[in-house]
Amino acid sequence: MELWQESLRQSLTEPAELARRFGIDAAPLEAVAARYPLRIPRYYLDLIEGVGDPLWRQAVPDPRELEDDGLDADPLAEERLAPLPAVVHRYPDRVLLLVSGECALYCRFCTRKRKVGCAASRLSLDELYAGIDYIARTPAISDVLISGGDPLLLSTDLLEDLLIRLRRIPHLEIIRIGSRVPVTLPQRIDAKLCAMLKQFAPLYLNTHFNHPRELTTQAAAACARLADAGIPLGNQTVLLRGVNDDAATMAALCKGLLKIRVRPYYLHQMDLVRGTGHFRTRIEEGMALLQALRGPVSGLAIPHYVIDTPGGRGKVPILPETVESLGDEVVLRLSDGSRLRYPNAVPPKG
Ligand SMILES: *Cc1c(COP(=O)(O)O)cnc(C)c1O
Ligand code: SF4
């Protein structure tokens, strides 16, 4: 077993341990963890300073996850857009290849909460190869985004096998990996992984920092190893209530990312996913936040603020020119001229 696998194995998975460590009641957490899995690597656990802090909120089960919030488990219609279990094909030229059902840390706000960490979402090797075969026989696809779960939880050897197969496809130009392990398990970004990935340029890696306190020395070192292997790094942040929904935190995050050679790419409006309603902010708040970044923060560090539209119509930038009206329902103008009504009411703060 490699060192990082040993670290992952030692992650916290028992609500009782959280309860002991932080002096809280385990029972409400048990109920949530029975429905949506709990895992926090020791590295990330040690970054949590106390109950309710921004890292706690991302990692620790919350009873509100079980409330009936009237939201859909799969609002982006990923299941409908999946020609095969391992593929989500929404745009003509680029696909998601879902290679892992596991993550180092199960983020409480995850859009794929319905499936990450569930035995049923584990894919067989045959299903992965079938996904690669789909890309090979679909010449319109020039860009693959390897996702999951977290692709970097696959063994380095298996990941290399998949990358070799993908690189044999002549029409596939760009390979991207989406992974949160630089944030949650930076020791996974070891020399062997970086040397392996280096062979497959142009290969991009998008990671997922949400708070400046995640920009530790270890995370910076992990990003440096990737950047030194010639892998351009981007970051996707989710706008989360009580975590990063104020301008000072967002500015510190975006500037801090640039310092470790990670370019802010997307800022996602929280999707309308069942069990995550308490994380949503209003779109007006996100727009104000972006407005506050312009000027004080370099354009290099400013992400695109986007909504992933319900029903699987893809991402739409949230800009003064795409937002027709605000209120408890926002009206957005899509690129094809049609209009989208998006629920904007959020639960009261608590
Ligand atoms: C976001 C996304 C992509 C990639 O979109 P880019 O804007 O090119 O980064 C591809 N497929 C799906 C289903 C997506 O959600
Ligand atoms: S790492 Fe990504 S896929 Fe995994 S739980 Fe977090 S948000 Fe979801």
Side-chain angles (χ1 to χ4, degrees):
M1 197 183 281
E2 313 224 6
L3 275 175
W4 68 269
Q5 289 167 319
E6 185 55 34
S7 308
L8 182 64
R9 208 178 57 79
Q10 287 169 7
S11 298
L12 179 150
T13 55
E14 294 299 328
E17 191 192 337
L18 274 177
R20 280 197 304 276
R21 186 174 168 125
F22 293 98
I24 54 164
D25 182 9
L29 304 192
E30 303 272 6
V32 184
R35 171 73 187 79
Y36 300 114
L38 162 66
R39 177 153 69 185
I40 311 176
R42 299 284 152 188
Y43 159 80
Y44 198 92
L45 187 64
D46 288 341
L47 300 180
I48 297 176
E49 289 172 357
V51 174
D53 89 355
L55 280 58
W56 167 282
R57 286 174 194 248
Q58 294 185 62
V60 175
D62 184 310
R64 288 175 292 183
E65 292 172 46
L66 299 179
E67 282 171 14
D68 180 14
D69 50 17
L71 298 174
D72 195 334
D74 179 22
L76 309 181
E78 289 190 331
E79 310 293 348
R80 186 168 52 73
L81 294 168
L84 294 166
V87 174
V88 179
H89 197 176
R90 176 181 303 153
Y91 302 108
D93 63 328
R94 46 212 202 278
V95 287
L96 302 187
L97 183 65
L98 307 177
V99 300
S100 159
E102 235 194 312
C103 301
L105 182 153
Y106 290 109
C107 309
R108 310 321 300 177
F109 52 84
C110 181
T111 293
R112 300 209 181 101
K113 212 175 163 72
R114 67 181 188 280
K115 57 193 282 193
V116 290
C118 306
S121 72
R122 206 167 301 139
L123 293 177
S124 68
L125 197 55
D126 281 344
E127 286 172 311
L128 298 186
Y129 289 161
I132 294 174
D133 193 50
Y134 174 85
I135 298 171
R137 60 174 200 265
T138 313
I141 299 170
S142 60
D143 183 341
V144 63
L145 186 47
I146 304 176
S147 181
D150 201 311
L152 295 189
L153 288 199
L154 297 186
S155 73
T156 302
D157 291 341
L158 176 54
L159 194 58
E160 180 171 27
D161 169 57
L162 300 180
L163 288 167
I164 289 171
R165 288 166 191 269
L166 287 167
R167 265 290 168 250
R168 280 195 205 124
I169 302 174
H171 53 266
L172 192 64
E173 294 165 354
I174 306 296
I175 300 180
R176 298 191 260 179
I177 292 178
S179 169
R180 209 175 178 209
V181 300
V183 186
T184 55
L185 190 71
Q187 55 268 58
R188 165 63 181 114
I189 312 295
D190 55 17
K192 180 179 166 192
L193 177 73
C194 294
M196 186 279 282
L197 294 176
K198 194 175 176 161
Q199 310 168 78
F200 297 99
L203 182 139
Y204 290 73
L205 192 141
N206 268 332
T207 187
H208 180 170
F209 288 89
N210 286 330
H211 193 275
R213 271 190 21 225
E214 294 170 341
L215 301 167
T216 63
T217 314
Q218 295 95 314
C223 293
R225 288 191 287 275
L226 289 165
D228 288 346
I231 299 164
L233 301 173
N235 187 69
Q236 307 192 177
T237 294
V238 182
L239 180 54
L240 298 167
R241 191 201 283 200
V243 174
N244 57 18
D245 59 339
D246 67 281
T249 302
M250 192 58 74
L253 173 64
C254 293
K255 288 180 174 181
L257 284 167
L258 272 198
K259 275 202 259 174
I260 63 168
R261 288 187 273 174
V262 179
R263 177 93 199 263
Y265 178 42
Y266 280 139
L267 174 64
H268 288 274
Q269 172 70 15
M270 241 330 285
D271 291 321
L272 299 158
V273 174
R274 182 182 302 157
T276 66
H278 54 290
F279 281 112
R280 262 196 1 271
T281 55
R282 286 179 67 99
I283 287 171
E284 291 89 332
E285 298 172 71
M287 292 178 81
L289 216 139
L290 267 239
Q291 191 53 38
L293 294 185
R294 284 185 219 293
V297 176
S298 155
L300 254 189
I302 299 183
H304 302 284
Y305 180 33
V306 293
I307 264 184
D308 220 324
T309 53
R313 297 173 68 189
K315 295 182 191 59
V316 184
I318 308 174
L319 296 164
E321 52 277 28
T322 56
V323 175
E324 260 185 14
S325 67
L326 290 162
D328 280 350
E329 189 178 68
V330 164
V331 180
L332 287 166
R333 204 171 33 247
L334 308 188
S335 53
D336 64 3
S338 65
R339 282 168 179 71
L340 174 87
R341 296 177 175 282
Y342 197 85
N344 191 31
V346 300
K349 288 199 185 181

